[in-house]
Amino acid sequence: MVALHGVNKHFGPLHVLKNVDLEVHQGQVVVLIGPSGSGKSTLCRTINRLEAVDSGVIEVDGKELPREGRGLAALRSHVGMVFQSFNLFAHMSVLDNVTVGPIRLKKMGKKAAEIKALQLLERVGVGHQASKLPAQLSGGQQQRVAIARALAMDPKVMLFDEPTSALDPEMINEVLDVMVELAAEGMTMIVVTHEMGFARKAADRVVFMADGEILEDQAPEDFFTTPKTDRARDFLSKLITH
């Protein structure tokens, strides 16, 4: 469903992605973890070209990601993205936030888009908030609206870039619960997160990154119990002791 071959990315002199190869198959949940600055979020953002790459090939559903234009917009519509800062339109109601993509990009009729949006808002547990503005919701509720908004486009893959890092602790689980349900339903997901409990529970694979490189790609149980590299062992030991 997603393939990266030899992907390199620089920010000025900083080499943030170094010859990255990664394949994610349909229905897989891949969790990217690693120390800050390891390239996880940048990798996530290259998959729908929010970050351009310097070299390498990225494919979504067997098609190479175009660099720009309508082809990129079409392929992007298959890739849902959930950010740490929600990125909802502040001046639009919750319902309008979820319908705007299908109406404008997929030319769906307003009534059909609203019916679908309400179903999705119910599914993520915020159906009763449809008429409110985002600012009237808690952070956890806003993030669930953002997930509904991404799902409204019928994506083939969902990208989550630290979706709980801006949330208060008591709100984290309400977002993770929705993500666990999505995973159980077979959604292809690439998740950058510090939530190791989610990685253990929902991931098919844990990909450990450091210094712009993928150092490990293992089943969660194998990674957490027998990491292969010193960097991963060091990373995990710091998690457990603090």
Side-chain angles (χ1 to χ4, degrees), residues 6-239:
V7 169
N8 285 277
K9 170 71 179 175
H10 292 78
F11 290 122
L14 199 62
H15 197 173
V16 289
L17 294 177
K18 301 173 183 171
N19 239 12
V20 170
D21 294 311
L22 180 68
E23 290 191 351
V24 179
H25 300 290
Q26 185 171 356
Q28 279 193 329
V29 178
V30 173
V31 170
L32 301 177
I33 66 172
S36 294
S38 58
K40 309 179 299 292
S41 287
T42 303
L43 176 60
C44 192
R45 291 167 68 87
T46 63
I47 295 169
N48 63 357
R49 282 225 191 279
L50 285 175
E51 296 287 357
V53 298
D54 301 324
S55 62
V57 173
I58 299 171
E59 296 174 353
V60 175
D61 198 18
K63 298 189 184 77
E64 187 174 342
L65 212 53
R67 296 207 171 264
E68 55 194 25
R70 285 186 179 173
L72 176 58
L75 211 53
R76 258 193 189 148
S77 71
H78 298 308
V79 182
M81 181 109 192
V82 178
F83 305 86
Q84 67 184 73
S85 54
F86 323 138
N87 288 16
L88 298 173
F89 296 115
H91 65 289
M92 287 186 183
S93 72
V94 164
L95 183 64
D96 289 344
N97 263 281
V98 180
T99 60
V100 63
I103 290 170
R104 287 196 187 166
L105 300 175
K106 291 200 156 188
K107 309 303 181 206
M108 187 183 275
K110 188 168 189 281
K111 190 69 190 160
E114 287 182 349
I115 290 169
K116 181 173 186 177
L118 287 168
Q119 289 171 339
L120 288 168
L121 290 168
E122 282 294 336
R123 181 175 166 191
V124 300
V126 288
H128 58 298
Q129 310 283 9
S131 62
K132 291 185 178 176
L133 291 172
Q136 296 174 282
L137 274 56
S138 70
Q141 289 169 330
Q142 289 187 60
Q143 193 60 296
R144 286 183 282 157
V145 172
I147 293 172
R149 179 181 60 180
L151 290 173
M153 294 296 289
D154 293 320
K156 294 178 178 176
V157 57
M158 288 276 283
L159 309 175
F160 294 85
D161 186 10
E162 300 199 17
T164 59
S165 62
L167 299 177
D168 293 332
E170 70 270 19
M171 294 176 192
I172 289 173
N173 279 340
E174 62 190 53
V175 173
L176 291 178
D177 286 346
V178 172
M179 292 169 63
V180 168
E181 279 177 31
L182 275 182
E185 290 165 12
M187 175 62 75
T188 308
M189 295 163 60
I190 299 172
V191 184
V192 178
T193 186
H194 298 289
E195 300 296 333
M196 298 303 142
F198 173 80
R200 279 180 180 267
K201 182 192 275 187
D204 297 297
R205 291 157 57 196
V206 171
V207 171
F208 175 76
M209 292 185 72
D211 303 321
E213 297 179 289
I214 291 176
L215 298 186
E216 304 211 17
D217 183 346
Q218 295 204 66
E221 201 50 41
D222 295 336
F223 176 76
F224 287 112
T225 54
T226 51
K228 294 175 181 167
T229 60
D230 289 339
R231 283 301 299 272
R233 278 191 286 274
D234 182 52
F235 176 78
L236 289 171
S237 72
K238 290 188 169 110
L239 288 182

